[in-house]
Structures are given as C-alpha cells and as structure tokens.
Amino acid sequence: MTNEEEKVESLNQVLAYAKTAPFYSNRIGNNKLTSLADLKTIPITTKQDLREQSPYGLLATDNSLLAQYHESSGTTGQPVSIWYSAKDLKEITDQIATSGVTMTNQDVVLIRFPYALSTISHFLHEAVQTCGGCVIPADSRTTITPMPKVIDLLSRLRVTVLACIPLQAIMLAEMATLLGFDPRTDFPNLRAICTAGEPLTPYKRDLIEEIWEVPVFDNYGMTEIGTAMVDCQEQQLHLFEEMFHIEILKDDLQNEVKDGEVGNLVITTLRNRATPLIRYATGDLVQRKEKKCLCGKGHPYVIRGRKEESLLIQDQIFDIYELEAILSPLTAKRFWVAGTIDDQLYLLIEKENDSDQVSNEYIKVLEDYYKVNLFIYLLDKGTLYDRSEPLAFGMKAKPRYFLTGTELKNLLAERGILDDSKER
Ligand SMILES: [Zn+2]
C-alpha cells in the first residue's frame, strides 16, 4: 500500500468508528473514502459544534471505558467536554515520552501547568512517570505553589526539568533573581525546560535559553486533542503522524495552502478515541517547514498561534512571531503588549534596566519595512506584570500579548504618554 492508501484506510476505520458518536452519526456518510481528497466531503467540526454537543454528543464509547475528563471554556464560558479512555491516555503519553528532552529515571520534573480540567499537566505527568522520572506537581493556578515556593522547590529538590508555558519560564527567572538566585548558576541540576500552552517563537526560545542556559523543548496540543506534536532532539516540532491526520487550509477552510505557507490547522484523530474529532478546525495557524528535519522524522511544523491573536494593519499581519522578531534586537524584550490605535502599531515593553532605550533609527527602519506607523514605548519595570506582591506575581490566567484599542489608550493615559506625540 502507498502512504496515501494507508492513510485513507486508517481514515475509513476512524470514520466508521466516529459514526457511533451521536454528533457524527449523520454527518459522516456510509460510503468509504477512496482518496484523501474525499475527506473534504465531510463537513468541518467547529469549536461551536463542540460547545453545543458537550458533554455527551461527541462521545463514541461506552461509559465504562472512560478514564479522564477534561474541559476548556475559552472566552464564551460555554464549556467544551472531552473524554479520554485509559487507552487514549496511554497512547498520548507514550508519544509525549518520545520528546527530544529524553526523560530518564534520573529526572526530577517540576510541572508548572494548571492541573484543574486542563490536559497538559496530566499528560506530561504520566509521560514523565512512563520514562521512570519523578514528578513535582507544582500547579500554576493555586495559592499552594506561588512563585517563591516554586523557586524553593527548584533549588531544594534538585529539579532537572522545568515544565511551564514560555512566559512563565521568564517570570520564574525574574522571581529567582528577586530572591537572590542567579538562574544561570544557582540551579546546577536543571538541564532542560519543556514548554507548552502558547506559541514558542525562535526569539522567545533563544531568550529563555539565554536566561536559564539550558535547552528548551516545546510541546503542542490542546484540551480537545491532547498533545499532538513534541520537539525532537533538534528542537523541531513533529506531528504524531500515526495519531493524527492534519490539513493546512486557507481561510475558506476548503483549499489547502501551498506547501510551506501558513494556514489553518484542521485535525482528525486517527485512533478510536472516546471523543473522536473529524476535521476539527483548531483555530490555530500552522506552517509545515519545507526542509526535512535532521532527526529523520520528516517535515517539522511551526505553530504560529491563534488566528484571533494577531493584529492586522493595512494587510500586514502582526502575530507573536512578527512582534517578537521586532523585539529581538532590543535590550528590553521580556514583557510586552501590543495593540493598534487608528491603524498604527503600538508596542509597549517593560524596561529591564534604567539604561534601556529604543533608537529612532530602528523605529524608522521598521516603519519603512512594514509600511506602517509604529510607536514603541518603554515602560517602568512592573507596569505590565506587577512584582510588588511576589505571592501574586504570575498567578493570573494565561498571559495576554494583545490589548484592545481602549485598553491601550487607558494604559498610555495612565503612564502620561500622549497619543498624538511622536515622542518615544
Ligand atoms: Zn526533528
């Protein structure tokens, strides 16, 4: 069988299985696919479908087989329910265990993701134990483990791997410094950082690696599908090919983008999961790299983040990648927010040192390149992320990089920065 024939065969199997879920019973026809192109005859599953079908409409298995429940609520507050069987969990954690970070029974892994209802902490927890390692469950949303406590655990328990969202790794370094530790030298057992939960740009990876002097390995997934990609030893994201079929589609969600272009990630679970998802539009933008990875696992992927989390100014898209590319040559780049007012780009960055500044020449170069008006303001340390109360620092929900126009205006007004001046 060719690769395509094998793929079509496994898709036909999962489609027949998915039809046992109430939601898919009428959406999937009885005719088998004869080619990958036939998959397009099945309608896209949207996040709204998941909300409407929760908690039981997507369940394709007997209740007796269920082992774990997860939920995501997003901005609408209407929850999405995802059920996992013990077999699902094992398949996912076995795949996570193949990560290039290569955990062993010598590892002590501090997991700093939320545990309540979300998936990554539980899956990683299980994967570490699958590899024989020891887990320190230091939930990121509980008052039991505020940042100073995490620094204490990192230092006292000879933690070898820290797992958290990328920005949290930067915040923990700030907290370590505030407590008198040097992140580079005072955690000699730390050998790697595993990230997940937000797009890891190459700039942020470099920044975290520079701050902690250890390599960073990324994971990509979401509550709905679990983990779908992990970094190989070359620090490139690879899809769990046997578990997922993906399509990278244009904004019409019909036609594929050209190879190497950024598009909408649509994912189909290939295993008989308790909650199968057929052509699920994840809302994330992804890019398949044109060059194969040195590790031998084929083409790696780049996750560009959520489509709604970007700014559009005169047909120019500013997503986290673009904005962190702008920030990367600056001396202050750890904590930032961006937004637009009157089709002009505003980038507000916390100062790291009193001497930090942004040259007008650099802003001019950027304006010429992007053909947009750009304002970069350096704010006092602590403006965006308050460090005055160590127990509260970094304990909020996911970080926000994009402000609304009103939020931006309020922040600028509070800092006494006039909108109409070009002064930076
Ligand atoms: Zn690779």
Side-chain angles (χ1 to χ4, degrees), residues 231-238 293-298 300:
D231 266 2
C232 65
Q233 66 267 28
E234 300 293 328
Q235 297 172 295
Q236 300 285 325
L237 276 178
H238 292 278
C293 184
L294 294 172
C295 77
K297 286 183 183 166

Side-chain angles (χ1 to χ4, degrees), residues 129-143:
Q129 291 175 339
T130 299
C131 298
C134 176
V135 171
I136 302 172
D139 195 308
S140 59
R141 304 269 176 85
T142 162
T143 51

